[in-house]
């Protein structure tokens, strides 16, 4: 067994290793967005009428917002205006329709996922993770379907769900993040091309971790996927999401929406390791990650837990949130966000307490290195009826070097006097004395930094499933490369 | 060949000359003590040996095991066998003692071309050394120095030394902040690590520690220079008379 320190060392010597491009035949639309684009996407996906209607409504709303220049401007990030007509909204790997097994998948795509270390192949069944892989905008493979079906768990691409389970899609799509929610949510609703769909029926504990890997491959393409997870009464599911993209000079837009619904006594655990291409050392290129993620703890005693490790993207704009509607429901948010070089992150959460005795926990760890700018933005809202609500918030920032920044914007709104709120915040710098101490014991400077940072993030890492935690630690080390002189 | 040879060492800290020409030779198996009043440069010497960058060497040479120590980064010096027991051990939140120490040990072993030690072999050894320092087993799961009392931190330093088995151990004011029982435990830990292959440099202000760790040689550092060297009896003399007379004596020859 090799020690983690060695793994760190190997990794620290690497650049962004997911930056390759796969050469495959793709079916893509020309650049630009209009009502016609939306119709074509819907037609290509052979969607039922209600989907087209829903998309068009969203598109019209978005077009209005665009005209009013209502793109959100409040985030603490800077980027030049995005030309929404200069983006390709649909790119799908060409493939034979109706794959019967993974063998029929384009071998180039399989090789890509192999490079990414995703257990797509049947031989990796031992890994015990069911995977849905989204390549550019289209879901290319879902594994373990049969085994999940035995338990009644539906885990498939969004497109398939629209075809096979339209009643579920119709019932829950947009129920947590309506298309009117914000500019990017409207855009996503209009043009999303695929994503993952999960339904766990009453009383079922999903027998394995479900996982989606998102990959942007094509140039000048936006990725707009949509994930919908419904845990019916008493159900439990743990869902993992990973993302990578090739190295490209131009910025690429990723505007996803994730909706979670937990009914009575249900639990959803949603973990993300986000490693979109962050741009180069001078801030050129990288993904704009503008994502809306929200869960509704709709039922009594339900629980939704978000854990995210954000190391990639040029700009991250993301607030995985919980609406605590059911009495006694629980919302959790554990986050590590790292910005190195010229990366910017404005991330945090919203906890909206509606039900009685609802409780929420927020643990945010921001790490800034290089010229990175890291902002925590969080909102805790206790509504009138939320008697006995509780919130605990902890925001810690760690600075590496003297050119980076950490910012914290907590918003607290309490309308019920029985609420109990706790807020703790800290900012610290990696001390020369800590570094020297570890070096004096034989560890190299970069290993020492990794160790200190991992220690700082421990509270969040222990919320991740084991394999993901290991990956997250490695990612942090890679992302910190060059942060110490 | 001596283990450590310091020749005419001059060191600046923040523009001030702190060490003004130190000569010191230490052989494997020997225990030397550096004593001196506050501000004489004792800790500076310890930090320079551990290769802390803020300390700027302006002149002189240090050979460790025949190699140029001043060319080494801190981690290289550590891997070559220099260990510093810190006067103020640092806390590393979130990192378990066991993980930290095994990583350090394996970094050193790797440097020396030895196979890394896995957790199965490491833990029993760790437990054994804990006993040596009369430390609680719970330490295995605690973060490095986090929430430790002053005495626990100092014991933890010696524990680390016992595990990393350096060739040269530099103890920087290890006695400060220790009560008499802790002092006895730490000293007996240190004594058990004395061997013919290992040298120690014990930096202290007070003679008290040297009752427990009896040195072979005592050097008195005043204003950046070693003004007197002798056997353990020199420490007793200092305890008796204080540093005043030796400081006065150190200044005297200059006026002659």
């Amino acid at each position: 067994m090799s020690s983690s320190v060695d793994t760190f060392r190997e990794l620290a010597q690497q650049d962004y290793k997911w930056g390759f491009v796969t050469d495959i035949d793709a079916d893509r639309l020309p650049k630009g967005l209009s009502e016609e684009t939306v119709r074509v996407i819907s037609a290509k996906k052979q969607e039922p009428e209600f989907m087209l209607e829903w998309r068009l409504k969203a598109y019209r709303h978005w077009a209005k917002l665009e005209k009013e220049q209502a793109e959100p401007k409040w985030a603490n990030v800077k980027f030049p205006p995005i030309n929404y007509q200069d983006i390709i909204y649909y790119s799908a790997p060409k493939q034979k329709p109706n794959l019967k097994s993974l063998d029929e998948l384009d071998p180039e795509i399989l090789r890509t996922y192999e490079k990414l270390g995703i257990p797509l192949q049947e031989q990796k069944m031992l890994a015990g993770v069911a995977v849905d892989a989204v390549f550019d905008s289209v879901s290319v493979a879902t594994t373990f379907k049969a085994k999940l079906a035995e338990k009644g768990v539906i885990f498939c691409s969004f497109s398939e769900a629209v075809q096979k389970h339209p009643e579920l899609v119709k019932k829950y799509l947009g129920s947590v993040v309506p298309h009117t929610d914000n500019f990017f949510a409207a855009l996503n609703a209009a043009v999303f091309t695929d994503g993952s769909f999960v339904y766990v029926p009453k009383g079922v504990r999903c027998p394995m971790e479900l996982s989606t890997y998102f990959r942007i491959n094509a140039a000048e393409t936006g990725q707009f996927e949509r994930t919908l997870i419904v845990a019916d009464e008493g159900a439990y599911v743990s869902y993992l999401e990973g993302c990578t993209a090739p190295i490209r000079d131009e910025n690429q837009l990723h505007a996803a929406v994730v909706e979670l619904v937990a009914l009575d006594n249900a639990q959803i655990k949603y973990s993300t390791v986000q490693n979109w291409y962050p741009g180069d050392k001078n801030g050129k290129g990288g993904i704009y990650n503008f994502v809306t993620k929200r869960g509704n703890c709709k039922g009594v005693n339900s629980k939704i837990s978000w854990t995210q490790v954000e190391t990639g993207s040029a700009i991250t704009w993301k607030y995985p949130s919980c609406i605590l509607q059911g009495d006694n429901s629980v919302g959790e948010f554990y986050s590590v966000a790292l910005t190195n070089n010229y990366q910017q992150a404005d991330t945090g959460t919203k906890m909206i307490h509606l039900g009685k005795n609802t409780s929420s926990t927020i643990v945010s760890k921001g790490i800034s290195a290089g010229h990175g700018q890291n902002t925590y933005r969080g909102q805790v809202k206790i509504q009138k009826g939320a008697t006995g609500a509780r919130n605990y918030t902890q925001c810690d920032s760690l600075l590496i070097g003297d050119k980076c920044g950490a910012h914290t914007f907590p918003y607290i709104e309490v309308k019920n006097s029985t609420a109990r709120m706790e807020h703790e915040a800290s900012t610290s710098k990696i001390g020369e004395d800590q570094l020297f101490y570890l070096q004096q014991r034989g560890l190299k400077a970069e290993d020492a930094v990794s160790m200190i940072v991992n220690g700082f993030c421990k509270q969040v890492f222990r919320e991740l499933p084991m394999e993901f935690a290991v990956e997250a630690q490695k990612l942090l080390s890679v992302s910190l490369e060059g942060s110490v002189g | 060949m001596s283990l450590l040879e310091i020749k005419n060492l001059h060191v600046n800290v923040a523009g001030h000359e702190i060490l003004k020409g130190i000569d010191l030779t230490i052989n494997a198996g020997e225990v030397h003590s550096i004593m001196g009043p506050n501000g004489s440069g004792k800790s500076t010497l310890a930090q320079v040996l551990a290769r802390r960058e803020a300390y700027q060497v302006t002149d002189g040479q240090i050979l460790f095991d025949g190699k140029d120590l001043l060319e080494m980064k801190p981690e290289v010096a550590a891997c070559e066998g220099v260990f510093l027991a810190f006067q103020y051990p640092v806390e590393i939140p979130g990192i378990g003692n066991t993980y930290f120490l095994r990583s350090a040990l394996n970094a050193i072993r790797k440097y020396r071309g030895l196979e890394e030690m896995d957790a199965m072999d490491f833990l029993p050894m760790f437990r054994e050394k804990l006993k040596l320092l009369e430390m609680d087993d719970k330490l295995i799961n605690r973060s490095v120095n986090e929430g430790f009392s002053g005495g626990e931190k100092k014991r933890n330093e010696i524990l680390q030394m016992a595990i990393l088995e350096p060739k040269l151990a530099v103890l920087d004011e290890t006695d400060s902040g220790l009560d008499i029982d802790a002092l006895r435990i730490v000293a007996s830990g240190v004594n058990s690590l004395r061997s013919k292959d290992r040298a120690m440099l014990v930096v202290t202000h007070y003679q008290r520690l040297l009752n427990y760790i009896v040195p072979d040689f005592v050097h008195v550092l005043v204003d950046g220079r070693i003004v007197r060297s002798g056997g353990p009896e020199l420490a007793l003399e200092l305890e008796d008379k204080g540093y005043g007379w030796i400081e006065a004596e150190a200044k005297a020859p200059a006026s002659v």
Side-chain angles (χ1 to χ4, degrees), chain B residues 33-50:
Chain B
S33 176
I34 297 271
M35 297 186 71
N38 290 329
S40 57
K42 304 187 298 288
S43 281
T44 298
L45 179 62
Q47 301 276 337
V48 169
L49 288 173

Side-chain angles (χ1 to χ4, degrees), chain B residues 139-154:
Chain B
L139 243 158
I140 290 179
N141 298 316
R142 277 169 65 180
S143 291
V144 180
N145 290 327
E146 198 183 30
F148 284 30
S149 70
E152 279 175 324
K153 283 183 183 172
K154 292 298 177 75

Side-chain angles (χ1 to χ4, degrees), chain A residues 461-473:
Chain A
F461 285 168
R462 67 170 171 229
E463 297 296 326
L464 287 172
M466 185 63 181
E467 284 190 23
F468 245 37
V470 172
E471 188 180 334
Q473 290 194 12

Side-chain angles (χ1 to χ4, degrees), chain A residues 1-6 8-9 432-434 436-445 451-452 455-456 458, chain B residues 47 50 52 75 78 82-84 86 90-91 93-95 99-100 103-104 107-108 110 116 145 157 160 164:
Chain A
M1 187 168 56
S2 85
S3 76
S4 317
V5 168
D6 292 314
F8 290 153
R9 187 165 308 144
E432 192 264 341
D433 55 341
Q434 278 182 327
F436 178 66
Y437 188 73
L438 296 181
Q439 284 177 278
Q440 210 300 307
R441 295 303 184 250
L443 300 170
K444 285 186 181 169
M451 197 177 262
I452 294 166
F456 175 74
K458 193 172 189 183
Chain B
Q47 301 276 337
R52 192 162 199 151
E75 62 267 32
V82 177
F83 179 92
L84 173 65
F86 283 65
V90 179
E91 298 185 6
I95 290 298
Y99 172 70
F100 161 62
S103 300
I108 293 171
K110 201 172 172 198
E116 292 182 19
N145 290 327
E157 293 295 290
Q160 295 181 25
L164 301 179

